[in-house]
Amino acid sequence: MITVRKAGLSDTIQDLGRFGYQKYGVVTSGAMDAFAHRVANLLVGNEETEGTLEMTLVGPCLYFEEHAVIALCGGDMSASIEGKPIPMWKPVFIQKGTELKMGPAVAGCRMYLAVAGGFEVPIVMGSHATYLKAGIGGCEGRVLKKGDRLRFKARKGQAEQIFSRLVCDEQCIQSTDWTIANNVLPALADQYEIRAIKGRQYSLFSEESRRLFETGLFAVSSQSDRMGYRLAGPSLRLEEEQELISEAVSFGSIQVPADGNPIILMADRQTTGGYPKIGQVASIDLTLVAQARPGNYLTFREISLEKAQELYLRREKNIQDLKTGIALKFR
C-alpha cells in the first residue's frame, strides 16, 4: 500500500482504455502515453492491461507502507528516495517505510508508475481508467489527493518472481543491472517532428493551408488537456466553408475548428466530431505528442499509411522482444 503525502498536479490511475462503450457516448480514456504505460507494467511482471499511476507535469510524494517493486517510465520527474535518484526504465525494489519524492518534469510531461501486482481499484465498464469529467474509474473517479491510500493487488506469476529476486532488507533501493535499450526509447525534447497521415478532409483545405500544415511550427497551448492538444501557429482554412456531418474520431485525429488552430485529439477525446480533419498522427508518434508540454513546438511530416503500419509493427516487435527478455531474466 502507498499513502499520498503530497499530491502532484494531476495524478490518476490509467490503463489501456475503456473499450466497447463509445456507441453509448462513453469515451475511451486510458494512458496518454500507452508505450510508457505498457513498458512500466512489463518491467514489474504485470499484464499490460494493469492500471498504472499517470503523473502530469509535477509528481507527488508517496509513502510506501510495504515492500514493493516499481517501474518508472515516460517523462523524467527526478524521482528520489532519501536524496538518492530512482533509475527509470527498469524494475526497482522499494523498501517499506520510505518516501518516494517526485518534482516538476525536467523532460517530457507524463511519468508512469507501475507496481508489481497492480493497484487495487474498482473496474468500471471493464477498465481501471480514470475519466475525470464523468467521475468514473481509478480512485473515486478523481485525481489523487493528500491522504489517499492505494492498495496493491497480490503478486502472481512473473510479478512475484521479479519481486522475490529484487527484495532486499538492507537497502531502501535495489534495481537490476540492465535497462531498456536507448534506441527503443522516445527522445524527449522541446520540439518534436510528428509524422501524420493525410486526414479524411485533407483535400478540402486550401493549397496554402496544406503547405502551412507541412511546413509550419505549432506551439502546444496551455489550453491543452487529456481531451485534446490545442495548437497555436499558422491558421489553416478550408478552400470553401461548408458544414460536415459528424463522424468517428480517434486518438491522434487532427481537427481544425473555425478559428483555424488545429486540435490533436487525445485519450479523453469525444466519440464523434464534426470539424474537418487535416491529418492523423501515426501511432508510433502518439508517445511524443503525449510527452509534449505547453510551450513545446510540433512540426508535421506526411507519412504513408503503409510506412506508419511498418513502424507500428516494428515497435510491437520491440515490445515482444522485451517481454521475452524479461521472461528469460526472471525464469
Side-chain angles (χ1 to χ4, degrees), residues 173-227:
I173 304 171
Q174 176 84 358
S175 63
T176 60
D177 58 2
W178 53 266
T179 186
I180 307 298
N182 284 333
N183 65 334
V184 176
L185 302 180
L188 302 182
D190 293 327
Q191 181 172 323
Y192 299 99
E193 181 180 78
I194 304 300
R195 289 162 288 195
I197 303 158
K198 289 180 179 178
R200 277 176 55 85
Q201 288 81 36
Y202 179 85
S203 62
L204 300 182
F205 286 85
S206 68
E207 183 177 346
E208 174 69 2
S209 292
R210 296 197 297 266
R211 184 188 66 80
L212 289 172
F213 176 67
E214 296 167 5
T215 61
L217 189 64
F218 297 87
V220 178
S221 165
S222 59
Q223 302 289 313
S224 302
D225 57 19
R226 282 181 47 89
M227 182 176 181

Side-chain angles (χ1 to χ4, degrees), residues 81-251:
I81 287 180
E82 297 180 359
K84 299 177 182 178
I86 303 297
M88 294 183 61
W89 302 100
K90 59 166 59 179
V92 180
F93 169 75
I94 305 294
Q95 194 177 76
K96 67 179 179 181
T98 55
E99 184 179 66
L100 173 62
K101 294 183 178 180
M102 283 164 277
V106 296
C109 180
R110 293 177 171 84
M111 176 183 273
Y112 293 81
L113 185 154
V115 61
F119 293 104
E120 187 66 66
V121 293
I123 296 176
V124 180
M125 288 180 276
S127 173
H128 303 291
T130 306
Y131 178 39
L132 296 174
K133 291 184 178 180
I136 60 174
C139 181
E140 301 176 0
R142 57 171 172 77
V143 298
L144 297 187
K145 61 184 181 181
K146 182 179 179 179
D148 281 340
R149 306 177 82 189
L150 291 176
R151 297 183 181 277
F152 305 151
K153 293 181 181 178
R155 295 178 296 273
K156 299 178 182 178
Q158 193 169 81
E160 178 59 29
Q161 291 176 338
I162 294 174
F163 178 88
S164 299
R165 189 77 63 88
L166 289 178
V167 67
C168 178
D169 290 326
E170 299 178 354
Q171 300 181 43
C172 61
I173 304 171
Q174 176 84 358
S175 63
T176 60
D177 58 2
W178 53 266
T179 186
I180 307 298
N182 284 333
N183 65 334
V184 176
L185 302 180
L188 302 182
D190 293 327
Q191 181 172 323
Y192 299 99
E193 181 180 78
I194 304 300
R195 289 162 288 195
I197 303 158
K198 289 180 179 178
R200 277 176 55 85
Q201 288 81 36
Y202 179 85
S203 62
L204 300 182
F205 286 85
S206 68
E207 183 177 346
E208 174 69 2
S209 292
R210 296 197 297 266
R211 184 188 66 80
L212 289 172
F213 176 67
E214 296 167 5
T215 61
L217 189 64
F218 297 87
V220 178
S221 165
S222 59
Q223 302 289 313
S224 302
D225 57 19
R226 282 181 47 89
M227 182 176 181
Y229 274 25
R230 293 181 177 272
L231 307 181
S235 183
L236 307 180
R237 303 290 178 184
L238 296 177
E239 190 69 56
E240 297 180 4
E241 292 300 323
Q242 54 185 288
E243 291 292 327
L244 300 175
I245 297 174
S246 292
E247 60 185 17
V249 293
S250 61
F251 200 163

